[in-house]
């Protein structure tokens, strides 16, 4: 499993008055999802693109699994990193299957293995292989295209995934669905993910840790809960609206407060362990005497939550 280390990384563009990225240092632990968050122009996309060397650092070093990425051949580096962008970037003249198969083909996988991987990934992103593998991107909705873009990024089974505002151009309902899908996939696959967004709610929902940037500098790097309860300064407090108590419920998950299942007669609904408590609260308010059952990734009930528990929290 590969992690990413940024060691005093800077990027200075020619004729720019100040660095786009300025002496940034932090570590993305293997198997974690880290969000780069901040206002437009803060350097988050520049920092992301230095990981796969679309941009080269002016100073500092980036390590992937302990190896300086500058010591790696660029093509070999990029083939072991999945990359998802807002515009999706699917090739319009290729079918869905051909788009997903691109990296495995470059890696010279055998055809049966490639076909199996395409079908596996289409199933994983909830697109029926029989129905979708031979379609072209123009025959898909925006959300479906984004799902295929994610599948293509995962096709070569990379340990690291870079996601640059992947849901920024999608409507709110589809965006919420894709966010839930990313959470489920991350729970299953445990990739090392670096995710750029300017959406605070999205960051709080998805991240294990958030790196907050301002004018190219790292202001705070912490868990969502610690950012909300102990912001480093007024900029962080205002950016994430840290004083909003309801927002704090978005960073606590069902697994954090559930108790052992008691086979309560009034089970309102089942939710996954990573479901945030704001969603759980919304469900319970509709039926205060009921409980919400909590399931693991296999669907087995492993706990329950009542309204009284949330009040005590």
């Amino acid at each position: 499993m590969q992690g990413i280390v940024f060691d005093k990384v800077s990027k200075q563009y020619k004729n720019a008055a100040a660095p786009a990225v300025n002496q940034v240092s932090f570590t993305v632990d293997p198997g974690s999802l880290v969000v780069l968050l901040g206002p437009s122009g803060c350097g988050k996309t520049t920092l992301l693109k230095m990981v796969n060397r679309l941009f080269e650092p002016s100073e500092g070093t980036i390590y992937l699994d302990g190896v300086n990425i500058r010591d790696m051949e660029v093509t070999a580096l990029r083939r072991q990193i999945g990359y998802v962008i807002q515009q999706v970037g699917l090739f319009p003249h290729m079918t869905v299957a051909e788009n997903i198969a691109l990296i495995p083909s470059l890696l010279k996988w055998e055809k049966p293995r490639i076909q199996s991987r395409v079908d596996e990934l289409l199933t994983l992103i909830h697109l029926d292989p029989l129905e979708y593998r031979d379609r072209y991107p123009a025959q898909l909705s925006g959300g479906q295209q984004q799902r295929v873009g994610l599948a293509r990024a995962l096709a070569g089974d990379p340990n690291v995934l870079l996601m640059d505002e992947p849901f920024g151009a999608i409507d709110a309902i589809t965006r919420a669905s894709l966010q839930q899908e990313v959470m489920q996939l991350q729970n299953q696959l445990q990739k090392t993910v670096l995710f750029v967004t300017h959406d605070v709610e999205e960051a709080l929902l998805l991240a294990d840790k958030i790196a907050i940037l301002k004018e190219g500098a790292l202001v705070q790097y912490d868990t969502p809960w610690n950012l909300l309860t102990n912001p480093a300064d007024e900029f962080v407090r205002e950016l994430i609206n840290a004083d909003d108590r309801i927002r704090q419920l978005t960073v606590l998950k069902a697994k954090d407060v559930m108790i052992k299942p008691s086979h309560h007669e009034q089970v309102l609904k089942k939710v996954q362990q990573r479901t945030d408590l704001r969603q759980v609260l919304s469900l319970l308010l509709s039926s205060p005497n009921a409980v919400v059952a909590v399931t693991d990734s296999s669907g087995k009930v492993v706990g329950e939550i009542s309204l009284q528990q949330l009040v005590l929290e």
Side-chain angles (χ1 to χ4, degrees):
M1 186 66 74
Q2 295 175 314
I4 307 168
V5 176
F6 296 90
D7 183 16
K8 298 179 180 177
V9 174
S10 295
K11 179 63 178 179
Q12 177 72 54
Y13 291 109
K14 186 178 180 180
N15 300 323
V21 174
N22 190 10
Q23 295 288 300
V24 168
S25 297
F26 68 94
T27 298
V28 180
D29 292 329
S32 67
L33 192 156
V34 168
V35 169
L36 303 178
L37 178 67
S40 180
C42 70
K44 51 189 183 292
T45 292
T46 299
L47 190 63
L48 179 98
K49 288 183 175 181
M50 286 193 279
V51 176
N52 61 0
R53 294 182 63 184
L54 289 174
F55 296 154
E56 297 284 0
S58 303
E59 296 179 21
T61 307
I62 299 172
Y63 298 94
L64 184 63
D65 198 26
V67 178
N68 184 342
I69 62 171
R70 283 184 171 176
D71 294 335
M72 304 172 69
E73 197 273 323
V74 173
T75 302
L77 170 69
R78 292 175 183 165
R79 286 180 181 173
Q80 60 181 292
I81 297 175
Y83 187 40
V84 186
I85 59 176
Q86 180 175 324
Q87 296 82 9
V88 186
L90 299 178
F91 293 104
H93 61 286
M94 291 183 175
T95 65
V96 164
E98 290 168 341
N99 268 283
I100 296 173
L102 188 61
I103 295 300
S105 297
L106 291 172
L107 294 173
K108 301 188 184 304
W109 289 14
E110 297 291 332
K111 284 188 177 180
R113 183 185 177 191
I114 293 175
Q115 291 171 354
S116 175
R117 182 62 171 165
V118 168
D119 287 355
E120 175 191 355
L121 287 168
L122 284 172
T123 301
L124 193 66
I125 60 171
H126 307 299
L127 294 177
D128 182 0
L130 290 176
E131 183 177 353
Y132 288 97
R133 71 160 75 97
D134 295 324
R135 290 193 186 184
Y136 288 88
Q139 297 171 315
L140 305 177
S141 69
Q144 290 169 341
Q145 289 182 31
Q146 200 66 55
R147 282 182 166 86
V148 174
L150 179 58
R152 185 177 64 181
L154 293 169
D157 199 21
N159 287 320
V160 174
L161 193 61
L162 306 180
M163 305 184 75
D164 190 4
E165 301 213 46
F167 312 140
I170 295 174
D171 65 271
I173 294 175
T174 305
R175 183 176 187 140
S177 172
L178 287 171
Q179 289 168 349
Q180 292 299 320
E181 203 153 302
V182 165
M183 290 173 61
Q184 293 174 18
L185 288 174
Q186 180 61 4
N187 193 44
Q188 289 178 252
L189 304 177
Q190 294 294 295
K191 301 294 183 183
T192 303
V193 183
L194 199 58
F195 189 110
V196 167
T197 185
H198 64 274
D199 186 314
V200 174
E201 294 286 351
E202 185 167 74
L204 293 173
L205 175 68
L206 297 178
D208 294 306
K209 283 189 173 182
I210 299 174
I212 295 183
L213 299 170
K214 179 184 179 184
E215 297 176 353
L218 181 65
V219 181
Q220 188 170 356
Y221 181 51
D222 219 326
T223 63
W225 179 252
N226 286 340
L227 288 169
L228 283 167
T229 57
N230 191 26
D233 58 19
E234 195 60 27
F235 170 77
V236 176
R237 181 184 299 277
E238 291 184 3
L239 178 70
I240 64 175
N241 194 11
D243 296 325
D244 184 344
R245 298 302 182 216
I246 296 297
R247 172 164 279 183
Q248 292 181 5
L249 291 177
T250 65
V251 302
L252 283 174
K253 308 302 180 187
K255 63 183 177 64
D256 297 325
V257 302
M258 68 182 185
I259 61 173
K260 291 183 179 180
S262 63
H263 306 291
H264 196 286
E265 292 182 2
Q266 297 185 59
V267 175
L268 185 61
K269 192 173 181 179
K270 293 180 180 179
V271 300
Q272 294 189 342
Q273 294 181 86
R274 286 180 63 91
T275 302
D276 68 73
L277 291 189
R278 187 164 67 174
Q279 295 181 63
V280 174
L281 176 61
S282 180
L283 290 170
L284 288 170
L285 286 174
S286 68
S287 185
N289 295 321
V291 298
V292 169
V294 182
T295 66
D296 62 17
S297 58
S298 69
K300 178 184 176 182
V301 174
V302 293
E304 67 182 33
I305 302 171
S306 68
L307 183 60
Q308 182 64 19
Q309 286 170 255
L310 296 187
V311 171
L312 292 174
E313 285 295 319

